[in-house]
């Protein structure tokens, strides 16, 4: 085939709008490239000495993509993304212009922060806010109708360094998790020098697509994202004929464009399919490092809106746009990559790895049971309230599904203490004698809010429109604490020259005894589970106001302060913002309902009454 007729493949354009390591190599000196790639790999901050060179390279590359402006792209507490554009233009003093982008401008931006919600952290007279580049998330290009903008993913903090966004605590929580995982790694004899641990995330995104003309006729959809009035159609999802059904060509056109745009942005979207409700769909990526995956999901939600508009469609990300059919969620697939580069939630099949796996698994069990309320609070919103516990999504009770195989192993570990001797043929679940764990031995349980699925945990209560940052800030921090407490014990035992296998066993056994109440493999949608959970003492925080109170407790303050994720003031500010957001939504939905009744429904009813009356007379 001649070059001209060559068919374009995704490989040709994957990542073409990203200033990735691969691209940087062509634009930077060897010294700057080495320094920057080290910064990116280790999650550090940019060396100021190379900032000017990096900025200039970024500008040159961005201009080759048609960029005239740059922006720091950040994630305020509104739950969406924010940007303020500045052009590269600078007058040359002789009536012309030069195009400039300095290291200073790359490293730090200074948007007026006064109009973003801060929950009292900052008042309008202290409006200064700073954005700073997170080099672990690469700069990318956003295309406009005529030109393009260079976007630099940044965190957003106030004058005193207080976090005003979702990225700052997310990065802090990743650091906290890394510290504790590395500490445990050392105990397992894994070299952690110059290494770090990380978390991985794959976020499955559900959404609705409806014709834009219909959408434009519904003021409630436009303003609130959901229909406040409506009637269930005679046929909707009863036949389960939409789920995984053949994709109609108009929708396919949308999906093809979405995939392409996301690939150009270097986001590895992988799966696309029809979901349960009519007009409901899903897109899922291949998992990535946590903060990058969060950024990519934020971008994906934005690109979906644009692509839908191009196709004469409206993309609804609301958790419950239509009563009577399933709403949309976002499955949060989370795991840990240790300093050895391996997935620590992969059961594996050699005993040494198993011990590492079982300790990690038990740390998650301990964390989720101890902080079920805070985890629940991380997915609380007015919209998600319509979904959780409605027999289409997990209930508000947080429990863990482990599956038969792992539950059996957990039960064995728990029992082995009762039989204190090794005699009698009872299996000792020591580090060196762990049972082989087959990969993917778990069945699926769609009703569980927090399910172990092969080599990761899947938190399924997250809402479709939410930022994935919130739930992962909580997950990282609570697991960091569980690992911390495990390490304290293991280190003390080591100092006392106790047998390592025995101390691991004892720790696991104690955790299982104390926290097994959170494990539930049955149907989470049943009324009997609600009763059983109550008996077990598991919290059932049905509504957002109840759930958010969990953030307003000394327990929550203690947790987030201890690991430097959120100070008391920062947490309080988040609580205030979320409560206010909830109240605002409930308030405007009520006002709009009343308006719609007055302006649209009552006049129609009265007109029809008149028609009937006329007919009678
Ligand atoms: P489903 O839940 O639809 O059956 P999969 O199990 O195939 O889907 O995966 C769902 C998501 O989980 C995907 O985004 C996938 O990349 C992600 N995932 C798989 N392994 C990991 C991991 N180790 N860490 C984080 N996410 C993962
Ligand atoms: Mg899933």
């Amino acid at each position: 085939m001649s070059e001209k007729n060559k068919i374009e493949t995704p490989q040709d354009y994957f990542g073409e709008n990203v200033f990735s390591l691969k691209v940087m190599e062509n634009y930077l000196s060897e010294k700057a490239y080495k320094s920057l790639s080290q910064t990116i790999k280790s999650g550090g901050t940019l060396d100021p000495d190379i900032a000017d060179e990096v900025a200039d390279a970024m500008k040159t590359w961005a201009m080759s993509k048609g960029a005239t402006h740059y922006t720091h792209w950040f994630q305020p507490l509104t739950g969406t993304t924010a940007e303020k554009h500045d052009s590269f233009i600078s007058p040359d003093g002789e009536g012309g212009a030069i195009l400039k982008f300095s290291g200073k401008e790359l490293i730090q931006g200074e948007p007026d922060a006064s109009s973003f919600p801060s929950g009292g952290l900052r008042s309008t007279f202290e409006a200064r806010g700073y954005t700073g580049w997170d080099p672990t998330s690469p700069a990318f290009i956003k295309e406009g109708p005529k030109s393009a903008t260079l976007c630099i993913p940044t965190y957003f903090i106030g004058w005193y360094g207080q976090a005003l966004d979702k990225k700052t605590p997310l990065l802090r929580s990743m650091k906290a998790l890394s510290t504790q995982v590395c500490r445990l790694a050392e105990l397992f004899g894994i070299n952690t020098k110059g290494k770090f641990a990380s978390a991985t995330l794959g976020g499955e995104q559900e959404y609705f697509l409806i014709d834009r003309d219909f959408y434009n006729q519904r003021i409630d959809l436009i303003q609130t994202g959901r229909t406040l009035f409506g009637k269930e159609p005679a046929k909707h999802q009863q036949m389960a004929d939409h789920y995984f059904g053949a994709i109609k060509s108009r929708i396919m056109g949308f999906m093809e464009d979405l995939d392409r745009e996301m690939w150009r942005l270097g986001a590895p979207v992988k799966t696309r399919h029809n979901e349960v409700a009519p007009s409901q769909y899903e897109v899922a990526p291949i998992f990535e490092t946590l903060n990058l995956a969060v950024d990519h999901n934020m971008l994906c939600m934005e690109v979906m809106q644009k692509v839908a508009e191009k196709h004469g469609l409206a993309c609804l990300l609301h958790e419950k746009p239509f009563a009577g059919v399933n709403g949309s969620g976002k499955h949060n697939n989370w795991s840990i990559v240790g300093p050895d580069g391996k997935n620590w939630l992969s059961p594996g099949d050699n005993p040494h790895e198993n011990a590492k796996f079982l300790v990690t698994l038990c740390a998650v069990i301990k964390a989720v049971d101890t902080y079920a309320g805070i985890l629940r609070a991380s997915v609380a919103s007015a919209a998600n309230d319509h979904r959780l516990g409605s027999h289409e999504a997990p209930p508000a009770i947080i429990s863990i599904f482990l599956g038969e195989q792992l539950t059996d192993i957990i039960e064995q570990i728990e029992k082995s203490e009762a039989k204190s001797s090794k005699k009698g043929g009872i299996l000792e679940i020591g580090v060196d004698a762990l049972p082989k764990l087959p990969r993917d031995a778990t069945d699926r349980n769609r009703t569980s809010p927090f399910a172990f699925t092969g080599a990761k945990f899947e938190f399924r209560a997250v809402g479709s429109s939410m930022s994935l940052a919130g739930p992962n800030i909580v997950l990282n921090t609570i697991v960091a604490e569980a690992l911390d407490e495990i390490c304290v014990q293991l280190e003390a035992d080591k100092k006392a020259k106790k047998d390592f296998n025995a101390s691991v066993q004892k720790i696991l056994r104690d955790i299982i005894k104390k926290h097994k109440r959170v494990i539930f493999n049955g149907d989470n949608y049943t009324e009997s589970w609600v009763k059983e959970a109550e008996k077990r003492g598991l919290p059932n925080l049905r509504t957002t106001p109840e759930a958010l109170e969990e953030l307003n407790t000394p327990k929550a303050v203690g947790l987030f302060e201890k690991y430097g994720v959120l100070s008391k003031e920062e947490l309080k500010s988040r609580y205030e913002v979320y409560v206010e957001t909830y109240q605002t939504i409930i308030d405007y939905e009520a006002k709009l309902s009343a308006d719609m009744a007055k302006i649209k429904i009552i006049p129609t009813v009265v007109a029809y009454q008149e028609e009937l009356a006329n007919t009678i007379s």
Side-chain angles (χ1 to χ4, degrees):
M1 217 185 297
S2 76
E3 194 54 31
K4 205 168 141 220
N5 295 328
K6 202 179 138 216
I7 295 169
E8 205 186 26
T9 70
Q11 261 177 307
D12 297 327
Y13 53 81
F14 188 90
E16 71 177 12
N17 277 347
V18 186
F19 193 63
S20 60
L21 274 173
K22 207 168 118 191
V23 175
M24 280 173 206
E25 207 170 0
N26 300 324
Y27 284 83
L28 292 173
S29 67
E30 205 183 316
K31 181 176 157 259
Y33 174 74
K34 263 200 185 143
S35 160
L36 184 55
S37 58
Q38 188 49 36
T39 299
I40 291 168
K41 282 176 192 149
S42 65
T45 47
L46 184 67
D47 173 5
D49 288 347
I50 61 161
D52 276 327
E53 184 182 337
V54 174
D56 196 59
M58 249 187 212
K59 183 203 70 188
T60 308
W61 168 78
M63 281 172 56
S64 78
K65 301 277 171 193
T68 53
H69 289 68
Y70 74 93
T71 180
H72 280 202
W73 182 77
F74 57 103
Q75 300 167 24
L77 296 180
T78 52
T80 54
T81 58
E83 50 191 73
K84 181 188 115 200
H85 299 194
D86 280 301
S87 74
F88 294 130
I89 290 275
S90 187
D92 66 1
E94 291 166 19
I98 47 166
L99 301 172
K100 262 190 6 194
F101 183 46
S102 68
K104 204 169 146 258
E105 289 166 313
L106 165 64
I107 291 180
Q108 193 172 83
E110 202 195 313
D112 180 335
S114 58
S115 293
F116 290 108
S118 77
L121 261 190
R122 195 211 48 241
S123 37
T124 30
F125 62 86
E126 307 167 307
R128 259 177 229 277
Y130 295 98
T131 49
W133 186 30
D134 161 21
T136 58
S137 185
F140 58 91
I141 293 288
K142 236 191 225 189
E143 288 161 338
K146 286 204 177 111
S147 63
T149 305
L150 169 68
C151 299
I152 300 149
T154 53
Y155 53 84
F156 179 41
I157 54 175
W159 172 252
Y160 300 106
Q162 337 74 300
L164 299 174
D165 69 343
K166 303 212 170 202
K167 192 189 258 286
T168 307
L170 184 73
L171 293 174
R172 291 174 182 164
S173 73
M174 287 174 73
K175 205 168 150 206
L177 182 68
S178 173
T179 305
Q180 300 307 329
V181 173
C182 287
R183 200 168 147 206
L184 183 63
E186 285 285 338
L187 285 158
F188 274 105
I190 296 164
N191 179 14
T192 63
K193 199 151 180 268
K195 302 222 168 76
F196 60 96
S198 187
T200 50
L201 172 70
E204 302 166 65
Q205 174 75 52
E206 293 179 338
Y207 60 98
F208 281 83
L209 287 176
I210 61 165
D211 190 282
R212 210 159 181 96
D213 288 338
F214 291 140
Y215 173 79
N216 284 334
Q217 287 172 35
R218 291 298 302 239
I219 183 139
D220 45 359
L221 266 186
I222 294 171
Q223 291 205 353
T224 72
R226 73 183 183 109
T227 49
L228 299 172
F229 291 95
K231 184 190 172 300
E232 202 173 89
K235 179 179 180 290
H236 46 92
Q237 66 185 43
Q238 306 96 320
M239 306 290 283
D241 50 357
H242 194 256
Y243 190 58
F244 284 11
I247 300 166
K248 297 211 168 99
S249 71
R250 184 171 181 201
I251 300 303
M252 195 61 181
F254 164 88
M255 290 178 170
E256 282 168 355
D257 269 1
L258 175 62
D259 284 349
R260 189 189 166 92
E261 289 311 315
M262 292 313 292
W263 288 336
R264 294 179 72 220
L265 287 164
V269 292
K270 168 105 175 154
T271 309
R272 58 190 188 198
H273 63 81
N274 284 6
E275 258 300 332
V276 171
S279 302
Q280 193 188 24
Y281 311 93
E282 179 178 305
V283 55
I286 297 173
F287 66 94
E288 301 176 277
T289 303
L290 181 53
N291 69 316
L292 186 57
V294 171
D295 284 358
H296 279 161
N297 180 253
M298 295 306 290
L299 259 181
C300 187
M301 291 195 284
E302 188 184 319
V303 172
M304 287 164 89
Q305 310 289 336
K306 281 192 195 156
V307 173
E309 199 172 344
K310 209 176 107 190
H311 287 263
L313 297 162
C315 175
L316 310 180
L317 290 171
H318 192 281
E319 281 73 6
K320 193 77 179 178
F322 309 107
V325 295
N326 276 19
S328 301
K330 182 136 63 187
H331 290 175
N332 189 91
N333 295 275
W334 175 94
S335 192
I336 292 174
V337 182
D340 52 359
K342 294 194 178 145
N343 178 357
W344 281 29
L345 280 173
S346 172
D349 40 35
N350 92 56
H352 170 75
E353 307 257 291
N354 279 6
K356 213 172 66 178
F357 164 74
L358 286 173
V359 172
T360 314
L361 180 78
C362 286
V364 176
I365 294 171
K366 173 178 156 77
V368 171
D369 184 41
T370 310
Y371 292 107
I374 293 177
L375 206 51
R376 162 70 182 97
S378 76
V379 296
S381 77
N384 216 18
D385 278 3
H386 297 290
R387 204 181 135 249
L388 298 182
S390 297
H391 291 223
E392 55 169 275
I397 306 161
I398 303 289
S399 68
I400 299 180
F401 169 83
L402 284 184
E404 233 173 277
Q405 199 91 36
L406 285 185
T407 305
D408 177 54
I409 286 163
I410 292 289
E411 279 167 2
Q412 286 182 56
I413 297 173
E414 188 195 0
K415 269 189 219 131
S416 70
E417 192 205 45
K419 329 271 177 182
S420 54
S421 83
K422 282 176 210 153
K423 287 169 264 161
I426 288 148
L427 188 61
E428 175 89 2
I429 320 291
V431 175
D432 297 327
L434 288 169
K436 290 209 168 193
L437 302 181
R439 278 173 212 275
D440 256 13
T442 53
D443 195 4
R444 291 179 175 265
N445 180 336
R446 287 276 158 204
T447 69
S448 174
F450 202 90
F452 185 78
T453 44
K456 61 186 163 39
F457 272 104
E458 184 167 350
F459 185 27
R460 302 201 181 107
V462 188
S464 50
S465 70
M466 291 179 171
S467 159
L468 284 165
N472 288 295
I473 292 169
V474 174
L475 253 177
N476 292 342
T477 313
I478 64 178
V479 174
E481 187 193 75
L483 289 171
D484 181 2
E485 289 176 9
I486 291 170
C487 287
V488 167
Q489 249 176 299
L490 282 173
E491 284 160 359
D493 286 358
K494 196 176 170 191
K495 226 173 161 189
K497 305 234 176 326
K498 285 194 190 155
D499 176 57
F500 185 64
N501 292 356
S503 48
V504 167
Q505 272 205 65
K506 176 160 185 337
I507 289 169
L508 296 184
R509 201 181 305 126
D510 291 348
I511 291 177
I512 293 164
K513 281 219 165 96
K514 189 160 173 208
H515 300 287
K516 67 175 178 191
R517 62 174 192 164
V518 78
I519 299 168
F520 179 62
N521 293 322
D523 185 350
N524 283 254
Y525 293 176
T526 60
E527 206 38 52
S528 58
W529 167 234
V530 177
K531 291 207 183 89
E532 165 71 18
E534 201 181 331
K535 250 195 254 158
R536 294 191 191 183
L538 302 179
N540 184 5
L541 307 167
R542 287 188 175 82
T543 64
T544 294
E546 278 173 276
L548 289 180
E549 282 312 314
E550 295 289 315
L551 301 180
N552 201 19
T553 58
K555 186 177 170 183
V557 172
L559 169 76
F560 291 112
E561 278 211 323
K562 185 167 172 199
Y563 295 94
V565 173
L566 289 167
S567 68
K568 188 175 176 188
E569 292 71 34
E570 287 170 333
L571 183 63
K572 178 89 176 142
S573 77
R574 263 145 236 264
Y575 164 78
E576 301 286 349
V577 170
Y578 301 150
V579 169
E580 197 185 322
T581 304
Y582 176 82
Q583 287 167 348
T584 307
I585 291 171
I586 298 295
D587 183 60
Y588 70 57
E589 285 190 347
K591 282 185 180 141
L592 184 61
S593 299
D595 285 349
M596 284 175 74
K598 268 189 266 175
I599 296 162
K600 293 193 178 240
I601 298 171
I602 296 173
T604 312
V605 171
V606 171
Y608 185 54
Q609 269 180 340
E610 193 186 340
E611 197 184 312
L612 291 182
N614 286 340
T615 311
I616 293 166
S617 66

